[in-house]
Amino acid sequence: MPTQEIGAPIPNVPHAVSVSLPTWEATVGYEEGESWVVNKMTSGYPRFFIHTSIKKLAKKLEEKYGRQNEVAVIFPSYKVAKRCREFVKTHAGSDANGSAVRILQLSTPPPANADESSTKIESNIGVVFLQASLFPLAKSYWQHSGEGISSRMGEYVLHALFGDEDDGSVGNSGYSNALQQAQQIQRRSPSIAASFSSINAPDKVAEKEYNAFIEHKFGRVLDLKFAKQAKIALRRRICGKVDHSHNQQEEIEKAKRGKNLSETDVYLFPTGMASIFFAHYALLQTWSTPKKSVCFGFPYVDTLNILKKFGPGVHFLGLGDDASLDTLEKQLESGEIDVMALFCECPSNPLLKTPNLKRIRSLADKYDFAVVIDETVGNFLNIHVLPYADMVASSLTKVFSGDSNVMGGSLILNPLGKHYHKFKEFFDEEYEDLFWDEDGLYLERNSRDFAERSAKINENSLLAVDLLQKLPLISKVYYPSIGESKKYYEEIKTPDGGYGGLLSFLFHNPIHAVRFFNAVNLHKGPSLGTNFTLACPYAILAHYQELDEIAKWDVDRNLIRISIGLEDPDELLGVLQKSLDSASDP
């Protein structure tokens, strides 16, 4: 059953990506910092909420290496820590008051022998020490860039450097025993779920409890020495090349990115936001003269923040429609603006608009700017956007993973792009693999059935959209298969692709939106692309401080967004119908 407990992790595992905000009022309370909500938050979306293991590691580092009133912010490399320091100094202004922002590099011990390579890895961190008054700026960098350490990395480094774990329930010897047991499970099967097949459980509830127990007790259940192979498998999966030795789905063969694309053009990142950030960073470093970029269409909040806060700035065309492209073309032609790149989502989150990528590509070629496309919402099994992009970014946290227990991102360079060689040279010199090995192992395991899950989600979503469109209470439904931009989606849709799992909708009466959301028996919290259906009052959750501003871009404050999952379709539609009926009750 979906949790209705405020602040509980979704799912109920130590490294959950989402968190429960089960009512409209709780979401507002969270945004306003009300104690009855924030004091119950034991988890949160990782770029916004710093995980307990990371907090404990930071405290240990402050106690051992910190100076008076200093706090520690931890990143997975010295280079990233330097970028954070530069951001803080740039934006601190008079608030810095001459305060030093310093960086400490630390490493964990490498494995001493082959046996230890299953449980040990040499890792490096860059720790930014700064005055507590400057912490909000460092936290802002953490959120926007997506380059903070993952919770699993924090847990590992905490144990490796200080010999304890986040919950303190397992000491050194207990920790080692847990890892040994976990490895035994892994040797029986690469999947936690599969390992349950040898357990005589009476029902599905016991199976779910067992799976949660295994993840909670052992944390890292996959052998670290296979991390390199897991990342190769991920890159091949992302570029559409099937490695049959790993039993990956044949269906992915149907979604080849292009015969010229190699896994060497696919780069992994700790989060989807980190891939977008690095794309922008690469542009700023390689363009002869850094210029403003265009943000085309209303995007996820931190994409726009990256373009605003790093570099020369942004031209924001928030409607993302044909008229916006007309305006852009006139400004480019007249010389009113000269841009470095155009960033867009395909489709956009949360309005599910599809940009005219053919026209965007034509303008980019004519006026010499790069195109960066975020395909997260569409996913590469449903849409093929690479021919129109110089770089394609994606959050692997979402439907590619599905399990909502690991963060990850990817960035693809188009080998046929005009600027490919310039970008490739920069990536060869500057790219760091900051994707934590344990996270890579989890993501590889989670994504093995990506094709099968994506198809099922496509089917369930069409049924949900059909239900919503028939109801008089609903004033508008947003989905790629309907609306004015459908024609542009059809141009990039793969032969066997669908329309994805994300939809948004509005009620005629805002009171009905609140009633529906509070009544609906679904998981409710941030994120999307989960194997379970997940709902949120999107504008309230993502833009509470700027509700009037986002209305200019047709984002209504009462918008509800639902990410459709893998539930039985009859059961899912029944849950939706029941809550829709109750919304209209007097």
Side-chain angles (χ1 to χ4, degrees):
M1 293 292 291
T3 179
Q4 301 302 316
E5 180 184 352
I6 294 173
I10 306 175
N12 188 23
V13 295
H15 301 283
V17 166
S18 191
V19 62
S20 177
L21 292 168
T23 65
W24 198 284
E25 294 79 8
T27 307
V28 171
Y30 170 75
E31 292 298 327
E32 293 187 346
E34 295 185 14
S35 60
W36 67 275
V37 178
V38 296
N39 290 349
K40 296 178 182 178
M41 302 293 290
T42 60
S43 182
Y45 195 76
R47 287 191 301 103
F48 294 82
F49 184 94
I50 299 179
H51 191 274
T52 305
S53 62
I54 300 173
K55 289 180 179 177
K56 188 169 184 179
L57 175 59
K59 184 178 179 181
K60 293 276 190 180
L61 292 168
E62 289 161 7
E63 291 172 350
K64 187 169 184 178
Y65 301 106
R67 299 170 185 169
Q68 188 175 8
N69 294 325
E70 280 188 333
V71 295
V73 185
I74 311 162
F75 296 96
S77 80
Y78 178 71
K79 281 186 178 180
V80 176
K82 282 178 63 178
R83 290 199 282 268
C84 176
R85 180 173 63 185
E86 181 180 350
F87 178 82
V88 170
K89 288 185 173 182
T90 299
H91 292 273
S94 59
D95 293 337
N97 292 325
S99 300
V101 181
R102 60 192 185 90
I103 299 173
L104 175 69
Q105 295 185 77
L106 294 171
S107 299
T108 63
N113 51 53
D115 289 339
E116 283 194 351
S117 65
S118 292
T119 59
K120 281 190 175 183
I121 181 173
E122 184 176 13
S123 58
N124 302 296
I125 57 173
V127 187
V128 176
F129 285 97
L130 71 173
Q131 292 297 300
S133 62
L134 297 178
F135 175 77
L137 280 173
K139 177 63 164 51
S140 181
Y141 181 87
W142 174 291
Q143 175 187 322
H144 299 331
S145 73
E147 291 187 319
I149 64 169
S150 78
S151 55
R152 286 189 180 87
M153 184 178 188
E155 185 181 71
Y156 178 89
V157 174
L158 176 63
H159 170 72
L161 294 183
F162 297 101
D164 64 355
E165 292 186 280
D166 177 57
D167 63 7
S169 63
V170 182
N172 290 348
S173 59
Y175 180 80
S176 298
N177 291 336
L179 286 178
Q180 291 173 8
Q181 293 179 58
Q183 291 156 25
Q184 292 171 5
I185 292 172
Q186 168 60 12
R187 281 192 284 271
R188 290 201 302 269
S189 168
S191 160
I192 289 179
S195 72
F196 179 74
S197 62
S198 63
I199 304 297
N200 183 21
D203 52 32
K204 292 183 178 180
V205 174
E207 177 179 353
K208 181 179 179 181
E209 291 176 349
Y210 173 80
N211 290 343
F213 165 77
I214 290 296
E215 175 137 352
H216 175 76
K217 183 70 175 176
F218 302 123
R220 52 190 71 79
V221 301
L222 302 181
D223 197 319
L224 285 176
K225 68 173 176 287
F226 296 125
K228 182 177 180 180
Q229 294 93 318
K231 290 183 181 182
I232 293 172
L234 283 169
R235 295 200 304 272
R236 289 176 177 170
R237 197 167 297 164
I238 291 163
C239 74
K241 304 293 192 295
V242 178
D243 180 353
H244 297 287
S245 66
H246 286 73
N247 296 317
Q248 296 166 18
Q249 267 61 35
E250 295 284 343
E251 290 90 338
I252 298 179
E253 190 72 35
K254 300 175 183 177
K256 285 183 180 291
R257 299 275 193 169
K259 63 182 182 180
N260 296 293
L261 185 63
S262 161
E263 65 261 27
T264 60
D265 293 319
V266 178
Y267 297 85
L268 299 176
F269 290 85
T271 64
M273 216 66 242
S275 66
I276 294 173
F277 175 81
F278 198 81
H280 183 53
Y281 177 72
L283 284 159
L284 291 173
Q285 300 301 313
T286 58
W287 224 251
S288 56
T289 302
K291 306 171 186 176
K292 287 185 177 183
S293 292
V294 172
C295 183
F296 188 79
F298 189 86
Y300 177 70
V301 57
D302 280 315
T303 297
L304 188 57
N305 278 327
I306 286 171
L307 301 179
K308 283 181 177 179
K309 297 183 180 183
F310 298 85
V314 61
H315 300 288
F316 183 34
L317 300 177
L319 293 177
D321 54 11
D322 288 342
S324 299
L325 274 181
D326 291 340
T327 299
L328 177 61
E329 184 168 19
K330 289 177 182 177
Q331 291 175 326
L332 291 167
E333 187 175 3
S334 67
E336 180 181 346
I337 65 173
D338 183 18
V339 302
M340 176 177 67
L342 181 147
F343 286 72
C344 64
E345 297 174 348
C346 192
S348 64
N349 174 19
L351 298 183
L352 287 308
K353 290 183 179 180
T354 304
N356 183 346
L357 294 184
K358 288 185 176 180
R359 187 176 174 193
I360 287 173
R361 182 71 261 168
S362 177
L363 290 175
D365 292 339
K366 183 176 180 179
Y367 295 102
D368 194 28
F369 59 83
V371 178
V372 181
I373 301 174
D374 180 355
E375 67 173 11
T376 300
V377 172
N379 94 54
F380 71 81
L381 292 176
N382 291 325
I383 57 175
H384 185 43
V385 302
L386 186 63
Y388 310 102
D390 294 278
M391 301 185 214
V392 176
S394 187
S395 173
L396 306 179
T397 308
K398 309 306 191 296
V399 68
F400 186 80
S401 169
D403 278 347
S404 191
N405 64 356
V406 64
M407 299 282 281
S410 66
L411 189 65
I412 297 175
L413 298 182
N414 183 354
L416 301 180
K418 176 181 178 180
H419 305 287
Y420 171 75
H421 295 291
K422 174 172 62 178
F423 294 151
K424 188 68 173 177
E425 182 179 354
F426 177 81
F427 274 62
D428 287 345
E429 293 179 0
E430 295 296 327
Y431 168 79
E432 298 178 284
D433 180 4
L434 304 177
F435 189 38
W436 180 238
D437 281 359
E438 291 175 278
D439 293 326
L441 288 162
Y442 268 87
L443 184 61
E444 190 281 322
R445 184 195 66 191
N446 292 353
S447 60
R448 290 175 189 175
D449 61 350
F450 169 43
E452 179 183 351
R453 289 186 291 104
S454 178
K456 177 65 174 175
I457 287 171
N458 290 341
E459 294 171 3
N460 281 354
S461 299
L462 285 172
L463 294 173
V465 168
D466 184 58
L467 170 66
L468 293 170
Q469 285 187 294
K470 292 177 180 177
L471 296 174
L473 262 65
I474 304 297
S475 63
K476 188 167 186 179
V477 181
Y478 303 86
Y479 192 64
S481 68
I482 54 181
E484 294 182 2
S485 67
K486 177 185 177 181
K487 57 187 177 183
Y488 299 131
Y489 191 96
E490 297 296 339
E491 291 178 349
I492 57 174
K493 184 171 170 285
T494 60
D496 298 309
Y499 298 94
L502 198 66
L503 59 93
S504 301
F505 58 98
L506 291 170
F507 288 84
H508 288 287
N509 188 338
I511 293 176
H512 292 159
V514 176
R515 288 179 183 172
F516 166 82
F517 185 78
N518 289 349
V520 70
N521 190 26
L522 298 171
H523 286 293
K524 289 175 268 191
S527 198
L528 59 93
T530 49
N531 291 338
F532 46 86
T533 298
L534 184 64
C536 72
Y538 183 82
I540 299 295
L541 184 61
H543 297 280
Y544 186 71
Q545 304 301 328
E546 50 185 6
L547 293 173
D548 291 336
E549 175 65 24
I550 65 172
K552 300 175 184 177
W553 312 111
D554 291 342
V555 182
D556 192 283
R557 66 181 61 212
N558 298 301
L559 186 78
I560 292 176
R561 190 190 73 180
I562 294 184
S563 173
I564 299 296
L566 300 173
E567 294 89 351
D568 176 86
D570 291 335
E571 292 181 6
L572 176 60
L573 295 179
V575 168
L576 292 174
Q577 184 67 67
K578 181 179 179 181
S579 303
L580 288 161
D581 291 341
S582 67
S584 61
D585 291 341

